[in-house]
Each structure stands twice: as C-alpha cells, then as structure tokens.
Amino acid sequence: MQGRFHLYEGYSLCKVTFPMRIFKLMGVETIVVTNASGGLCQDFKVGDIMVIKDHINLPGFAGQHPLCGPNDERFGIRFPCMSDAYSKDLRKLVLDITAELGYSNFVHEGVYCMVSGPNFETIAEARMLHILGSDSVGMSTVPEVTVAKHCGLRVLGLSLITNKVSLDYSREEKVNHEEVLQISKMRAEMLQNVLVTFIARSHQVETINNSNCIYSNAV
Ligand SMILES: O=P(O)(O)O[C@H]1O[C@H](CO)[C@@H](O)[C@H]1O
C-alpha cells in the first residue's frame, strides 16, 4: 500500500483497518508495517529505527477500538490475545539483517504508543507516555496491527524515529510535520535496503510464504 488512513483524518477505525481484512481474504499471511514516530526513549536518536516489539493502544483504552461491535467470527475470535502481536521470529530476522548491513548502532527494539493526534504531545502527556513504558509515540499502526493479529496475520513493525519528543520544559525545540517528512525521506533508502533483504530472506522463517505485504505511510 502507499499511504494509510488515520483516525485523525476522520476515518472510522473500521475503515482504517479494512485493508487488513482484504489482505487476509487475498491470502496474505504476513504484513510489514512501517511508520514515523517521536522518540520518547532517551537513548534514541533522530533517524534511528525501532523494531516494534509491543504497543500501547491508548485510543483503545478510551473505547476507540477497531474490534468494538459485533465480532465477525469469519476473521477471528471475540477476545483475541494481543501479547504476541509482533512476531518474535520476524523481529529476530530483521535484527540479524540490520546487523549484517552494519546498521546495529541505530536499530533498537521498543514499545510504540498510539495516540489519536492530530496534535503532537504536550510535555506532560509525553512524560506520562514515557512513564507508562512507551519508547516512541505516533498516530497510526496500532489499529491495523490489532485487526491483523485478530485475523491471524503475522506482523513485523518498523518505526523510524523522526524527532525526539520533549520531556523537559526547558527544551526549546518544537516538533513539526516537515521535520517528520524530511527525516523519513533521508532514511528511505536505508529502510528499503532492510526491507528488500527481509523479503528475500523471509522464506527462512517457518511458515512464511511469499504472500507478504508492505504497508507504510510517511516512511
Ligand atoms: O502515519 P505515520 O507513519 O504513523 O506518521 C506519523 O507522522 C505524522 C505526523 O507527523 C502522523 O501521521 C504520525 O502518525
């Protein structure tokens, strides 16, 4: 896919996640989700890649959840397990690949937190997300991953850290969307290298077949 739908654009979460069910019906087994996010973990630098190991569905806590409403049993069960949404095998494969490509210094694993946006976080909000265990924050991805996991798709998630999120009232820098786009453009080639190698090697991981799909937006 080129682009995605966002909650902040006014789309329902049913529409935001609809492509996942289409992929499922098409026979896709694995999806790769990429996004741009702000770094909360103080070790992260702008331009780093975070392999998503888990997420926090903040809108979901407030009832903005793509699986609310009658469950469609054709896709999955009513109460899906979400503790292993991001495949361990795929994470290991991509970490091996980034090490081989010499990218280890700027690749980390971490927890992505979704907020609805469209405003970037206040400092108090950012501090709260950090205390809650989030390493990065963005406005996408989690609904799609939730629906993908519900219908049995395997997921790899990569997040490009496009800006550092301020946790400190004395910091003067202000995040803006142009910076997000600029860093995404700057790192596009590196991410393409990782993904091309990942796709070429994905047959090494048990049960992956060629039915993979890349789903990205800013990156
Ligand atoms: O769509 P993704 O890649 O998550 O992009 C992120 O960057 C945009 C804000 O600059 C938001 O859309 C946010 O979610």
Side-chain angles (χ1 to χ4, degrees):
M1 290 185 66
Q2 287 192 325
R4 60 157 59 91
F5 306 105
H6 295 89
L7 191 56
Y8 64 74
E9 292 177 281
Y11 295 105
S12 68
L13 285 179
C14 178
K15 278 196 180 145
V16 167
T17 58
F18 193 61
M20 299 304 117
R21 289 187 165 175
I22 300 288
F23 292 153
K24 179 70 182 175
L25 294 174
M26 287 167 66
V28 166
E29 293 186 350
T30 304
I31 60 160
V32 179
V33 196
T34 67
N35 66 36
S37 68
L40 291 161
C41 173
Q42 296 306 285
D43 298 338
F44 291 0
K45 291 183 286 304
V46 169
D48 285 357
I49 294 176
M50 187 184 86
V51 179
I52 306 177
K53 77 168 177 212
D54 202 353
H55 69 222
I56 296 178
N57 183 1
L58 212 57
F61 287 2
Q64 284 273 21
H65 194 292
L67 297 174
C68 277
N71 185 54
D72 190 335
E73 296 286 333
R74 292 171 300 177
F75 288 97
I77 57 175
R78 171 77 288 187
F79 301 108
C81 174
M82 220 34 78
S83 62
D84 57 350
Y86 300 85
S87 159
K88 207 171 173 178
D89 293 342
L90 297 183
R91 284 192 277 132
K92 180 175 181 326
L93 177 61
V94 86
L95 287 171
D96 288 347
I97 289 169
T98 51
E100 283 167 33
L101 292 172
Y103 297 157
S104 286
N105 284 349
F106 40 90
V107 176
H108 319 271
E109 278 198 291
V111 176
Y112 174 90
C113 179
M114 183 205 176
V115 293
S116 72
N119 66 272
F120 292 108
E121 297 65 48
T122 66
I123 292 172
E125 287 165 351
R127 286 180 168 192
M128 181 193 82
L129 299 180
H130 189 228
I131 289 167
L132 291 179
S134 321
D135 296 304
S136 83
V137 55
M139 307 168 194
S140 70
T141 302
V142 167
E144 297 98 305
V145 170
T146 302
V147 170
K149 174 71 173 130
H150 176 250
C151 66
L153 297 178
R154 294 206 311 170
V155 178
L156 173 73
L158 300 179
S159 192
L160 177 67
I161 307 299
T162 52
N163 55 284
K164 281 187 87 115
V165 179
S166 191
L167 299 173
D168 181 348
Y169 286 98
S170 66
R171 271 191 60 188
E172 292 295 327
E173 309 101 88
K174 307 252 178 293
V175 57
N176 65 73
H177 186 57
E178 281 62 46
E179 179 190 6
V180 172
L181 295 177
Q182 188 201 332
I183 300 296
S184 301
K185 213 168 167 186
M186 192 188 95
R187 282 301 203 203
E189 197 179 323
M190 188 180 98
L191 272 156
Q192 281 164 17
N193 291 341
V194 173
L195 288 177
V196 164
T197 316
F198 174 84
I199 291 163
R201 297 258 200 94
S202 59
H203 66 276
Q204 290 175 357
V205 177
E206 210 189 339
T207 75
I208 291 188
N209 65 13
N210 290 327
S211 307
N212 296 332
C213 177
I214 296 185
Y215 184 59
S216 74
N217 186 26
V219 181

